[in-house]
Amino acid sequence: MLPLLGLCFALPLCAGLLEEARSWEDTSDQVGLRIPRQVRLLQRLKTKPLMTEFSVKSTIISRYAFTTVACRMLNRGSEDQEVTFQMQIPAAAFITNFTALIGDKVYQGEITEREKRNGDKVKEKRNKTIEDNGEKGTETFRASAVLPSKDKAAFLLSYEELLQRRLGKYEHVVSVRPQQLVGRLTVEVTVLERPGIAELEVLGLQNSRQRGSGRGPDDSGPPPSTVINQNETFAKVVFKPSVVQQAKIAQNGILGDFIVRYDVNREQSIGDIQVLDGYFVHYFAPKDLPPLPKNVVFVLDSSASMVGTKLRQTKDALFTILHDLRPQDHFNIVGFSNRIKVWKDHLVSVTPNSIRDGKVYIHHMSPSGGTDINGALQRGIQLLNDYVAHNDIEDRSVSLVVFLTDGKPTVGETHTLKILNNTREAARGRVCIFTVGIGADVDFKLLEKLSLENCGLTRRVHEDHDARAQLIGFYDEIRTPLLSDIRVDYPPSLVERATRTLFPNYFNGSEIVIAGKLVDRAMDRLHVEVTASNSKKFVVLKEDVPVEPRKVGIDVPQSPRPRGRGQEEPNHLERLWSYLTLKELLSAWLQSIEEPERERLRQEAQALAVNHHFLIPFTSMTLKSAPRTEAPEAAYGMSSTSMATGPETVMQSLRGTHLQPGPAVKKPYNPRIKISKTSADGDPHFVVDFPLSNLTVCFNIDGEPGHILRLVSDHADSGVTVNGELIGAPAPPNGHKKQRTYFRTITILVNKPERSYLEITPSRVIVDGGDRLVLPCNQSAVVGRRGLEVSVSANASVTVSIQGTVAFVVLLHLYKKPAPYQRNHLGFYIANGQGLSSNCHGLLGQFLNQEARLIGLSKSPAHPPVPEAGERSEAVLEVKGRQVPVVWKQRRIYNGEEQVDCWFARNNAAGLIDGEYKGYLAAHPFDSETAFGPGLSRGL
């Protein structure tokens, strides 16, 4: 019995896997005779694992939030069950630890370096993310474990984030979605701000992260049972609803987002500087400044894909935004599809007539054609550059492009790198580009890079009834620029490793944050100089700020730290500095195009993340079992080398050691490890090893594309069936074959102790044991469930272990630039057939419990004669009472050996295999019938 622990980090990809699983669900339900869904649902509800406690504790110190989530589960049923812990976390947060307690066993997370594999490069054209990656987005962390009957489990997750100020408020969001009513549900948020807390409010529970403009206060009020205690610098908010109160909100346990908003008091013009143990943070958010004039071009997608709701809501939002323009602003409108349509040939001033005419122009936009993103950006930037050049107002205004699209480039220049280069060269740092991606099909990675490289921001707007408010909310963040060309200087002899100090713009309601290290911890004053431009003059602020190191007397919630780490209270300013530095390194890595520079940034970010225990794309989390003195039957173990690889979809395996354990999975199989000779790989070439006879036999099967071959058929006894589906390809030039065939899909049906289905392709593995799981083959993963274990080694192999007595290895053959006769395909190897019965059949299975011998051969079969050039060594093979002519040859296989010596049976293995080739054709991928032997089956 193999308890399963599954972990999903970062989880834009998780959403993609769920969508794949749903799409497969409809077809897989047609396979086999299963219990009706309604009955299965009723059975699950009777003994559904009970969540006894769900608690979230957040401590916010100087805008930096430490959050720990704890979840306790109880298996009330009489059988082992899978329990699941799922948590949405802010996309801007970094996971710092994860701990699982299964029964009496503790598994603790440790952040380590992630090994860089060949091909670990970000491709510009990849954009498979379907969840929001914008700052207001979320990622989903998911963990599940098979819990023995009447036993308990607990999960603890820790993450950290710096709250960003938007529209004059900081916002801390906690997802309260335990998926069921909980006996003890608590959310506790503690805020400690030295300058003083201003305007703290708790919003009503919300189910959408995209909440619109936020122009007015939320009048729904705090959710029931919320208690707020507050003084000048300290606030504590507790949300503790009873089961009845939870049921009134949502009976399914999906309550929504618990949101705390607040601001801080500001007095110093130079900003707020805080120091602690050699680290400092500088918050700069000036107010009461006259706004800078805006030169803004709205570039709107009017391609055919914008038809309907998207274009209508975009127009409605733009009508409101145009009314918000100030008299000193200038604007223009560009609509684009496969053609670029400009409202005016120059920017116009804001007047009642120009606003009216602009709204009329937007109203008459109609969707048609493709998407020329490059041409639209070039035209919008050109309009701004021409206006600034002819009016000499660059130092006293801000030039912005607000770019909205719902798709990918399809017309004109479509290459991502060229679009980025063209835009960067045209903007030259003088034009900031703010991008909005509408809907799920947008190339969000492109928009993100366009904004990153051109001093802007990017947001994803979901296509729903609230899209208009989302667009207006995004514009509200940039509607009032107060300063441009901001530069913050500190004495280089006193400050080192400071984060970014140059900022193109400062918008009202936002905040500039800089962190760094102090060279001299004993210093009592720090000289700070800020230079910037506003609408009327060049601003210079200078001040010697008193440095008064303070200790913060408050507990920071932390899950247990792995052994060997210090137990001292964390320095929140050091954490904040490392968080900001990592964000900037990752952003620089994303923008960089030179490989040496990318590698330098990767290594620097990786070292910093490991040192400060942050889970980023370049680090991994290892779950290690804490030592215990209890009896083995009371504990559950985990392979200490199972890895959760960065913010990607990853599964971990918990193994029940209270039962007879199988061999622990050390690591996903390496494709160069010697696996087995008994295999079907390549075109396809079959190899059968007879270890007792010290013989290896090989043969070919010339099937047709679409044929499904029975490889292992033991459904009636061990409950295992393996089938392989063929795909066709042209034959190589000058070859003797008309076409080639390869395995494109391997399907495995496991019927004992319970039914499970596996479908393996070069790109994904689908595991269906009642609950479906889709694993991408380009990410390492290990999953286990009740005697079945699946291990994926990224882009290399998939290993399937059944009851510890049967093991199959499927090799992934992938081509970067395939020739016309090459296809991504699979190789199937039987690594352990001990658990298969003597009645096992199939093209490979029929030979597993057989012996063979050569007759008519003078030399030892273990050392067949090596033929001379042009000479062939022939013999007769006796197997299953039949005599088959064979010829000795060397065959290349792909299990880590260059070649294998074997005796080759010609003519589609006629006489070697039982019956004829056609008798091994299956009707469908999970067909378990067999026409041979005493173990006849009626199929599923």
Side-chain angles (χ1 to χ4, degrees):
M1 198 167 301
L2 304 178
L4 161 81
L5 175 67
L7 305 180
C8 284
F9 296 101
L11 294 187
L13 286 176
C14 286
L17 297 182
L18 292 174
E19 290 299 325
E20 280 193 281
R22 293 190 191 105
S23 67
W24 198 71
E25 182 176 355
D26 296 335
T27 57
S28 60
D29 280 344
Q30 301 172 11
V31 179
L33 302 175
R34 297 193 180 186
I35 300 173
R37 285 185 178 276
Q38 296 87 343
V39 177
R40 295 208 311 270
L41 177 61
L42 187 60
Q43 290 173 343
R44 285 199 299 268
L45 289 176
K46 286 180 180 179
T47 58
K48 182 179 180 180
L50 177 68
M51 185 178 294
T52 59
E53 181 177 352
F54 180 87
S55 66
V56 182
K57 184 177 182 181
S58 290
T59 301
I60 305 169
I61 310 176
S62 300
R63 295 73 139 178
Y64 192 73
F66 301 80
T67 302
T68 294
V69 185
C71 172
R72 300 182 185 276
M73 309 284 289
L74 171 66
N75 181 4
R76 301 173 293 175
S78 57
E79 298 180 350
D80 296 0
Q81 290 197 67
E82 182 174 322
V83 296
T84 299
F85 162 64
Q86 182 170 299
M87 185 69 186
Q88 287 185 4
I89 66 173
F94 286 140
I95 290 172
T96 56
N97 203 7
F98 175 70
T99 303
L101 298 89
I102 310 298
D104 295 326
K105 196 71 175 175
V106 178
Y107 301 97
Q108 212 152 22
E110 181 177 353
I111 304 295
T112 57
E113 291 185 359
R114 177 185 179 187
E115 296 181 6
K116 185 181 179 184
R117 302 182 298 269
N118 291 333
D120 254 7
K121 298 180 181 179
V122 175
K123 295 184 178 179
E124 304 296 336
K125 64 182 180 180
R126 181 186 300 174
N127 183 30
K128 296 183 181 178
T129 298
I130 69 169
E131 278 192 345
D132 186 8
N133 265 344
E135 293 294 332
K136 286 191 176 181
T138 63
E139 296 171 348
T140 301
F141 178 96
R142 183 178 183 272
S144 58
V146 172
L147 188 61
S149 172
K150 311 302 180 184
D151 217 336
K152 299 177 181 178
F155 304 97
L156 293 95
L157 173 70
S158 295
Y159 61 87
E160 300 174 15
E161 65 169 327
L162 176 65
L163 303 185
Q164 295 196 16
R165 189 169 184 256
R166 292 195 177 95
L167 303 176
K169 294 289 183 68
Y170 303 99
E171 191 171 274
H172 182 60
V173 182
V174 174
S175 175
V176 187
R177 294 173 172 84
Q179 312 292 318
Q180 61 176 275
L181 302 179
V182 183
R184 293 192 300 275
L185 190 155
T186 307
V187 178
E188 182 180 305
V189 179
T190 302
V191 182
L192 183 67
E193 294 289 354
R194 189 184 73 179
I197 300 172
E199 303 176 4
L200 184 137
E201 59 178 330
V202 179
L203 278 60
L205 293 168
Q206 300 189 25
N207 275 303
S208 173
R209 289 288 170 115
Q210 307 287 344
R211 284 176 291 278
S213 68
R215 294 189 173 197
D218 187 289
D219 22 346
S220 60
S225 80
T226 301
V227 177
I228 304 173
N229 292 306
Q230 181 183 356
N231 60 27
E232 184 178 353
T233 61
F234 176 87
K236 186 172 185 179
V237 180
V238 178
F239 173 52
K240 198 173 182 179
S242 65
V243 173
V244 174
Q245 289 171 324
Q246 295 173 47
K248 289 181 179 178
I249 299 170
Q251 294 189 4
N252 59 2
I254 302 177
L255 305 186
D257 292 327
F258 184 79
I259 304 166
V260 177
R261 278 183 185 164
Y262 71 96
D263 199 11
V264 300
N265 297 321
R266 290 179 173 82
E267 295 178 359
Q268 297 179 340
S269 61
I270 201 74
D272 176 26
I273 296 180
Q274 301 181 23
V275 176
L276 180 63
D277 292 339
Y279 289 87
F280 79 92
V281 62
H282 182 186
Y283 298 101
F284 182 60
K287 56 182 180 179
D288 301 327
L289 294 172
L292 281 165
K294 292 193 301 291
N295 313 312
V296 57
V297 175
F298 299 98
V299 183
L300 312 178
D301 187 345
S302 59
S303 62
S305 58
M306 287 286 288
V307 68
T309 304
K310 282 187 282 191
L311 188 57
R312 186 182 68 252
Q313 293 186 338
T314 299
K315 290 180 178 181
D316 289 344
L318 261 294
F319 295 158
T320 302
I321 290 170
L322 289 181
H323 274 295
D324 272 348
L325 294 174
R326 294 182 174 85
Q328 66 267 38
D329 295 338
H330 292 77
F331 75 105
N332 204 340
I333 302 165
V334 175
F336 73 96
S337 53
N338 55 329
R339 296 171 54 198
I340 311 300
K341 303 172 185 177
V342 181
W343 173 47
K344 301 288 186 182
D345 59 3
H346 59 278
L347 269 68
V348 300
S349 59
V350 175
T351 65
N353 288 340
S354 64
I355 295 298
R356 181 198 61 211
D357 293 345
K359 291 172 66 175
V360 170
Y361 180 79
I362 293 172
H363 175 75
H364 286 101
M365 280 186 174
S366 58
S368 65
T371 310
D372 186 359
I373 289 178
N374 181 74
L377 284 169
Q378 292 296 305
R379 190 70 181 98
I381 295 170
Q382 181 186 355
L383 287 167
L384 288 167
N385 287 335
D386 290 347
Y387 176 76
V388 170
H390 287 93
N391 292 274
D392 192 26
I393 59 169
E394 181 177 356
D395 294 336
R396 297 291 180 264
S397 66
V398 172
S399 296
L400 312 174
V401 168
V402 178
F403 180 84
L404 298 92
T405 183
D406 74 331
K408 304 174 177 65
T410 60
V411 176
E413 180 58 69
T414 59
H415 193 272
T416 298
L417 286 178
K418 290 185 179 179
I419 294 174
L420 291 169
N421 289 335
N422 294 342
T423 305
R424 188 168 53 248
E425 291 175 5
R428 293 174 292 176
R430 301 174 184 175
V431 176
C432 294
I433 300 176
F434 295 83
T435 58
V436 179
I438 304 172
D441 298 325
V442 67
D443 189 345
F444 194 73
K445 290 294 184 185
L446 172 59
L447 300 188
E448 187 177 42
K449 281 201 167 188
L450 283 169
S451 293
L452 275 175
E453 295 182 359
N454 298 280
C455 61
L457 301 171
T458 186
R459 291 286 184 274
R460 185 194 296 275
V461 170
H462 295 284
E463 184 186 359
D464 58 19
H465 65 280
D466 198 28
R468 173 185 174 274
Q470 297 173 47
L471 288 169
I472 295 172
F474 175 63
Y475 176 75
D476 279 348
E477 295 182 35
I478 61 174
R479 66 193 291 259
T480 310
L482 298 182
L483 295 173
S484 64
D485 301 322
I486 305 104
R487 179 189 179 99
V488 184
D489 289 310
Y490 311 94
S493 60
L494 299 179
V495 171
E496 61 182 4
R497 300 293 301 276
T499 57
R500 176 185 174 196
T501 58
L502 299 175
F503 304 87
N505 299 301
Y506 166 72
F507 296 95
N508 188 39
S510 64
E511 187 174 61
I512 290 173
V513 184
I514 304 167
K517 293 182 177 182
L518 296 177
V519 175
D520 181 9
R521 295 192 179 193
M523 62 186 295
D524 58 356
R525 303 189 77 82
L526 177 63
H527 181 75
V528 181
E529 186 170 318
V530 178
T531 58
S533 297
N534 76 350
S535 61
K536 296 182 179 180
K537 59 183 178 180
F538 188 69
V539 177
V540 179
L541 302 175
K542 297 181 181 180
E543 190 169 337
D544 290 324
V545 180
V547 174
E548 300 176 11
R550 288 180 170 87
K551 287 288 185 180
V552 180
I554 189 168
D555 292 333
V556 175
Q558 294 284 301
S559 59
R561 291 177 177 267
R563 288 188 158 199
R565 300 183 190 175
Q567 300 298 320
E568 69 277 2
E569 182 180 314
N571 178 347
H572 68 281
L573 294 189
E574 180 182 358
R575 305 291 298 169
L576 189 157
W577 168 81
S578 58
Y579 173 96
L580 273 182
T581 304
L582 277 173
K583 287 288 183 183
E584 292 181 7
L585 288 170
L586 292 173
S587 177
W589 179 84
L590 186 64
Q591 296 178 57
S592 177
I593 58 175
E594 299 295 331
E595 192 57 37
E597 176 67 7
R598 288 170 64 87
E599 178 61 18
R600 183 192 67 79
L601 292 167
R602 186 192 71 83
Q603 292 181 7
E604 187 176 350
Q606 184 181 66
L608 183 64
V610 170
N611 188 45
H612 289 83
H613 317 300
F614 285 119
L615 190 61
I616 67 170
F618 309 136
T619 58
S620 301
M621 179 177 284
T622 307
L623 292 180
K624 291 192 175 181
S625 175
R628 288 279 183 170
T629 57
E630 290 86 354
E633 58 270 14
Y636 305 92
M638 173 185 286
S639 171
S640 63
T641 55
S642 294
M643 305 293 288
T645 309
E648 299 170 355
T649 306
V650 182
M651 307 302 294
Q652 301 277 350
S653 176
L654 283 178
R655 183 180 298 280
T657 55
H658 64 298
L659 299 177
Q660 199 81 21
V665 175
K666 300 296 183 183
K667 285 185 179 179
Y669 275 91
N670 184 306
R672 301 303 299 171
I673 295 174
K674 182 175 180 180
I675 301 168
S676 165
K677 290 182 180 179
T678 302
S679 59
D681 204 341
D683 189 14
H685 304 314
F686 288 75
V687 177
V688 177
D689 193 34
F690 295 93
L692 297 178
S693 307
N694 202 18
L695 281 175
T696 302
V697 177
C698 49
F699 57 92
N700 292 346
I701 293 293
D702 295 326
E704 296 292 329
H707 280 180
I708 301 173
L709 308 186
R710 306 181 194 277
L711 303 178
V712 176
S713 300
D714 200 27
H715 184 78
D717 293 290
S718 68
V720 176
T721 300
V722 182
N723 296 327
E725 183 176 357
L726 298 176
I727 186 175
N734 304 320
H736 65 283
K737 291 186 175 182
K738 293 183 179 180
Q739 69 173 356
R740 285 185 165 192
T741 52
Y742 304 95
F743 286 117
R744 71 173 176 185
T745 307
I746 299 293
T747 51
I748 303 174
L749 171 63
V750 181
N751 205 40
K752 297 178 181 179
E754 61 181 23
R755 181 164 294 188
S756 296
Y757 301 84
L758 281 83
E759 181 184 83
I760 303 170
T761 71
S763 61
R764 69 180 185 181
V765 180
I766 298 176
V767 185
D768 181 11
D771 295 326
R772 293 169 182 78
L773 178 66
V774 183
L775 303 175
C777 288
N778 61 0
Q779 298 167 23
S780 296
V782 182
V783 297
R785 179 188 176 94
R786 303 192 182 185
L788 174 66
E789 190 168 81
V790 181
S791 170
V792 181
S793 181
N795 297 322
S797 64
V798 178
T799 304
V800 180
S801 177
I802 305 167
Q803 299 294 319
T805 59
V806 177
F808 304 128
V809 177
V810 178
L811 296 190
L812 311 176
H813 299 298
L814 308 174
Y815 299 93
K816 290 184 178 179
K817 296 181 179 179
Y821 54 86
Q822 292 175 325
R823 297 287 186 273
N824 289 345
H825 65 280
L826 306 173
F828 174 75
Y829 293 77
I830 301 178
N832 180 9
Q834 179 184 350
L836 299 173
S837 74
S838 58
N839 295 323
C840 182
H841 213 271
L843 287 169
L844 291 175
Q846 62 185 296
F847 300 110
L848 292 181
N849 296 289
Q850 302 294 326
E851 293 187 23
R853 69 188 185 96
L854 291 174
I855 57 178
L857 184 69
S858 57
K859 295 193 176 183
S860 167
H863 304 282
V866 179
E868 301 293 336
E871 188 181 5
R872 302 175 68 135
S873 178
E874 298 185 358
V876 175
L877 178 74
E878 187 174 74
V879 59
K880 292 187 174 183
R882 298 189 294 270
Q883 295 185 358
V884 185
V886 292
V887 58
W888 182 86
K889 68 184 303 183
Q890 289 185 325
R891 163 153 287 179
R892 182 180 297 274
I893 60 175
Y894 304 93
N895 66 351
E897 297 180 349
E898 289 300 317
Q899 58 189 20
V900 60
D901 297 334
C902 64
W903 291 95
F904 179 71
R906 306 180 185 89
N907 303 324
N908 267 2
L912 176 66
I913 60 175
D914 293 337
E916 296 181 354
Y917 162 73
K918 293 183 178 180
Y920 295 88
L921 297 182
H924 56 79
F926 292 102
D927 184 5
S928 59
E929 291 186 359
T930 179
F932 304 99
L936 294 177
S937 167
R938 293 174 298 175
L940 289 173

